[in-house]
Amino acid sequence: YNGFKSDFIGASYHMAGVGSIGAVWTQMKSPEIEERDELNNPSGAVFSMKSQSVAASFAYPVFDFLCIGHTIKSVIQDKNRPGWSVDTGILVLPMKEIGIGLSARNAVSEKMANGDKLPLNLLAGLSVRLFGNALLISAQADVYERNAVKAHFGAEATIIKELQVRAGSDINTHYAGIGASWDKARLDYTASYQKTLGLAHRELRI
């Protein structure tokens, strides 16, 4: 997106009978942007932004149909003192073909160096597997502060056991992706299109 850069490194490990652990590092950087006044004249100042976060997660089964997960993360904006927050969520499987998820991002958080708190974000999702797991359809609603709601829709089709194709939309942005696996290795790629910003490469995960 015109000089904006996003980096992501993550790993997860499943422990049979115990649960799963994960860790992730993300970074977002903006190019230097010339600041302008209310008349659109250059002010002589330049704005740039850099944000990093480190997170650790643990998810575990309570029953065969219920899983609970928690994430603690530390966020650093520019060179300010880091702030931290905790996410929590549950996954309910009333049937093997149906999944219902509820989560709260930044359920607990402290103020950042600029005095702002990371905003509370509530999410609710539903997924349904059809045709013997050949097709997955999902929907998600994100509820932000002041009751702003954003909807997401997606689908994944399994062509063969080792190959999946995906498509999705959140009204303003449309997504397409592919996933492939060989033995214990896996490759996932996602691209997006937005009318204003055009085509973007969103994710390449190995």
Side-chain angles (χ1 to χ4, degrees):
Y1 292 159
N2 298 325
F4 282 85
K5 184 178 180 182
S6 176
D7 300 304
F8 171 98
I9 299 174
S12 62
Y13 181 73
H14 176 69
M15 299 175 289
V18 178
S20 299
I21 58 174
V24 63
W25 168 82
T26 59
Q27 174 179 262
M28 294 187 65
K29 298 171 66 176
S30 75
E32 292 187 346
I33 302 172
E34 183 182 54
E35 294 186 5
R36 292 177 175 266
D37 60 22
E38 61 274 10
L39 298 177
N40 201 32
N41 296 315
S43 65
V46 173
F47 167 81
S48 65
M49 180 273 292
K50 180 178 179 181
S51 173
Q52 295 187 72
S53 68
V54 178
S57 302
F58 177 57
Y60 53 94
V62 180
F63 304 106
D64 291 341
F65 61 88
L66 176 64
C67 296
I68 297 177
H70 311 285
T71 298
I72 183 168
K73 58 190 175 185
S74 176
V75 180
I76 304 173
Q77 292 181 341
D78 296 317
K79 296 182 179 180
N80 295 320
R81 178 180 62 83
W84 62 268
S85 70
V86 176
D87 305 341
T88 188
I90 64 171
L91 174 63
V92 181
L93 304 170
M95 301 173 59
K96 65 179 183 179
E97 300 88 358
I98 298 176
I100 301 171
L102 300 170
S103 67
R105 291 177 180 168
N106 307 318
V108 180
S109 66
E110 70 166 351
K111 289 185 177 180
M112 303 291 290
N114 60 7
D116 295 334
K117 291 188 69 174
L118 294 171
L120 176 64
N121 179 200
L122 302 177
L123 299 89
L126 171 68
S127 66
V128 180
R129 295 185 179 274
L130 303 171
F131 311 116
N133 293 336
L135 179 64
L136 171 68
I137 299 175
S138 63
Q140 178 177 303
D142 298 1
V143 182
Y144 300 91
E145 291 183 336
R146 299 180 182 178
N147 296 322
V149 179
K150 187 175 184 180
H152 308 261
F153 305 94
E156 177 185 271
T158 299
I159 308 303
I160 57 176
K161 183 179 179 181
E162 297 81 9
L163 180 65
Q164 296 81 36
V165 294
R166 309 180 183 105
S169 175
D170 61 9
I171 308 303
N172 295 319
T173 307
H174 309 290
Y175 305 87
I178 188 170
S181 58
W182 302 270
D183 192 20
K184 295 183 180 181
R186 181 164 184 85
L187 173 69
D188 290 286
Y189 172 74
T190 305
S192 67
Y193 176 79
Q194 192 177 66
K195 185 176 181 180
T196 304
L197 300 174
L199 182 66
H201 304 286
R202 299 286 298 213
E203 181 178 63
L204 176 61
R205 183 183 302 179
I206 301 174

